[in-house]
Amino acid sequence: MSTRRHGARQEPEVHRITSAPESPADDLARRQRRYLWQMGVRVVCFVAAGLLWSHVPLWVPLTLLVAASVLPYVAVLLATTARRRREEPDVYYEAREIGPAPRKDELGGGR
């Protein structure tokens, strides 16, 4: 059920800055930071596996080594995928048709 009255004046649409796409430079910087964090976690996994090798059950360092070997693949996949722009169904402009030009005798002031 619609609450609008027939013939009611439509308010102009307000554009939100949050719907603007992220700039390419910001997108690249965000992806680089995420990649560096993931590679940092990979280094920590390698170091922890080496330090814990003889002190904990064997499955712990092996799990860390498997994680360290899978992380580069995941990091590259995440770093190379750019954020997709939101596809909003709303139209931000109203298409208007320009009518035909007036005939010469309708311009007025003519001879």
Side-chain angles (χ1 to χ4, degrees):
M1 181 173 155
S2 177
T3 59
R4 287 192 178 178
R5 288 183 259 154
H6 294 288
R9 185 173 169 215
Q10 225 179 7
E11 294 294 322
E13 183 177 353
V14 177
H15 299 286
R16 300 173 304 231
I17 189 67
T18 56
S19 65
E22 186 178 25
S23 73
D26 290 342
D27 181 47
L28 179 63
R30 178 185 49 79
R31 290 185 288 141
Q32 285 175 340
R33 279 192 307 273
R34 183 172 41 188
Y35 180 79
L36 289 174
W37 272 105
Q38 290 170 340
M39 289 299 100
V41 169
R42 179 179 188 232
V43 169
V44 169
C45 286
F46 269 126
V47 170
L51 293 175
L52 297 175
W53 189 263
S54 61
H55 302 292
V56 294
L58 188 60
W59 65 269
V60 174
L62 289 178
T63 304
L64 290 170
L65 288 174
V66 167
S69 63
V70 172
L71 267 173
Y73 176 73
V74 173
V76 167
L77 285 178
L78 292 176
T80 57
T81 55
R83 182 175 289 179
R84 295 185 183 199
R85 294 183 182 183
R86 287 182 268 184
E87 297 292 330
E88 293 187 15
D90 298 334
V91 177
Y92 291 112
Y93 64 91
E94 183 178 321
R96 297 180 187 167
E97 182 178 329
I98 299 175
R103 294 185 313 205
K104 191 175 187 178
D105 59 337
E106 292 176 348
L107 290 175
R111 297 181 205 188

